[in-house]
Amino acid sequence: MKKKYPFDPLLKHHLIIGLLLAIWIFVFLFFTEPLDVNEFNTNEKLVFLPGYGLLGGFCYLMFLPFQYYLYKRFNKNWTVFNEVLYLLIFSIVTIVIARGYYLYVVMIGQQNPYTLGYMLISIFLPAIATILPIIIIARFAFGKYHEKRLDDQKIEIKGEGNYEGLRLQLNEIICIQSSDNYIEVLYVSSKTIKKTLIRNKLSVIDQEFSDLIRTHRSYLVNPFHYQQWKTDNGKHFLLLNYDVEVPISKTYLKSVKDIMHSTTI
C-alpha cells in the first residue's frame, strides 16, 4: 500500500476525467435501465438521467482539493494507499449524494421510493463496478503521462568515463561547486537538500547548461533559487533558497548583477 503510484496534478486532465465520468454515467443508466428507469419515456430520461451524470462528475471534481491536500501532506509522494483512500471516499460520498438526488428530485411527490439497501445492491454497487475501473484507468494513464513528461524534461549531469551521473529537473539544482577533479551538485529532492559528488569539471558543465550562471571560478548557480543579494566587508554573495550562500568574485560581478536584475524585473 506504500508503493508509489503515478499521480497527475494537472487540473485540466482531471476536468477531462470528470467530463468523461458524467457522460459515461448517463450512457450507463440510459441503456442498462436499472430499476424503474425503464418506466421513463425518452423525454424523462433526458431530464433525470443527465443529473446523475453531472452529480458523478461534480463529486469527482469536488474532491480534487482533498486530493491535492493529501499530495502536499505526503510531500508529493502519492502512494497506492492515497489512491485507494481517495477513490473510496469519492465512491461513498457520490452514493450519498446520488441517493439524495433520487429521493428529492427524481421521486419528489412520489410514494414508495426504493430503500437505500435495495438501491445499493441493485444500482450503486453494479454502477461502481462498471464505472470505477474507467476512473482508475484514466487516472493511472494521466499519471504515467505526467511522469513521462517530467522525465523527458530532466537534464543529465554526466560523470567522466564510467562514473555515474545525476538525472534531475533543472530547477531542482541549487548550485554546483568545483571540488578538485569533481563537482558537488547541491539539489532539492522531496523538499530536502542533497549533495552528489560527480567526477567532472565545472567548465564542462558551464558550457553544457547555459541556464546556470557562473558567479565564481568554483561555483555555478541556478538563478531560479535566487533570494537576495548580500554584501559583507566588500565581498558579494548570493543568498539562495534553503539558506544556501554562494560567493561572487569580481570577475563575474557585473554579469551576475545584470542577470539577477533581469530575472527580478
Side-chain angles (χ1 to χ4, degrees):
M1 294 292 282
K2 293 183 179 180
K3 185 178 179 181
K4 189 175 180 181
Y5 194 87
F7 178 84
D8 182 10
L10 298 181
L11 178 60
K12 63 180 181 180
H13 291 164
H14 291 290
L15 289 174
I16 293 173
I17 294 175
L19 178 61
L20 293 176
L21 178 61
I23 295 172
W24 178 244
I25 290 175
F26 167 72
V27 171
F28 172 80
L29 294 176
F30 189 90
F31 289 103
T32 61
E33 297 185 336
L35 297 180
D36 54 359
V37 171
N38 58 359
E39 298 177 7
F40 292 167
N41 59 43
T42 301
N43 289 335
E44 288 176 325
K45 288 181 181 179
L46 294 177
V47 169
F48 293 116
L49 299 189
Y52 284 109
L54 291 174
L55 283 176
F58 172 77
C59 287
Y60 179 80
L61 298 177
M62 181 180 68
F63 270 90
L64 289 182
F66 173 67
Q67 169 183 262
Y68 292 133
Y69 167 76
L70 286 178
Y71 186 56
K72 292 180 180 179
R73 175 69 177 78
F74 290 96
N75 294 322
K76 297 185 177 181
N77 182 32
W78 194 255
T79 64
V80 174
F81 172 79
N82 298 136
E83 184 74 6
V84 171
L85 177 63
Y86 174 80
L87 293 174
L88 178 62
I89 295 176
F90 159 72
S91 299
I92 293 173
V93 172
T94 301
I95 287 174
V96 172
I97 293 178
R99 171 66 176 175
Y101 179 76
Y102 169 75
L103 290 176
Y104 302 110
V105 178
V106 178
M107 293 299 292
I108 189 71
Q110 304 293 323
Q111 295 183 347
N112 302 319
Y114 292 110
T115 64
L116 176 59
Y118 187 68
M119 290 189 70
L120 194 63
I121 295 173
S122 302
I123 295 182
F124 294 141
L125 292 182
I128 288 175
T130 304
I131 295 167
L132 205 55
I134 306 292
I135 300 175
I136 293 172
I137 292 171
R139 287 173 59 85
F140 184 85
F142 275 128
K144 279 294 187 182
Y145 173 73
H146 180 70
E147 286 185 349
K148 185 179 183 305
R149 286 189 61 208
L150 289 179
D151 191 63
D152 290 342
Q153 293 170 3
K154 286 183 177 181
I155 63 172
E156 184 176 7
I157 300 176
K158 299 179 180 179
E160 292 182 344
N162 296 324
Y163 288 89
E164 292 185 2
L166 183 64
R167 185 173 172 82
L168 70 173
Q169 296 287 329
L170 175 64
N171 285 341
E172 290 175 343
I173 299 174
I174 299 176
C175 65
I176 302 176
Q177 181 181 1
S178 175
S179 179
D180 295 328
N181 293 324
Y182 292 83
I183 55 171
E184 186 178 76
V185 182
L186 190 67
Y187 62 100
V188 183
S189 178
S190 299
K191 297 186 178 180
T192 302
I193 293 182
K194 294 185 178 181
K195 294 181 181 180
T196 295
L197 204 62
I198 299 174
R199 186 179 179 88
N200 207 328
K201 296 177 181 178
L202 197 66
S203 57
V204 173
I205 305 301
D206 188 14
Q207 293 177 358
E208 190 171 355
F209 303 108
S210 59
D211 291 317
L212 303 178
I213 63 172
R214 195 76 172 257
T215 65
H216 189 277
R217 65 184 180 85
S218 299
Y219 283 91
L220 281 174
V221 166
N222 186 350
F224 175 81
H225 290 281
Y226 170 71
Q227 286 291 320
Q228 186 179 347
W229 188 284
K230 178 182 176 181
T231 302
D232 186 13
N233 293 326
K235 295 182 179 180
H236 301 276
F237 302 87
L238 289 183
L239 295 182
L240 308 177
N241 289 333
Y242 302 93
D243 298 321
V244 176
E245 188 176 287
V246 174
I248 308 172
S249 66
K250 292 182 180 179
T251 303
Y252 301 99
L253 183 61
K254 185 180 184 304
S255 62
V256 172
K257 275 186 176 181
D258 292 341
I259 293 173
M260 289 308 169
H261 178 70
S262 66
T263 58
T264 54
I265 292 178

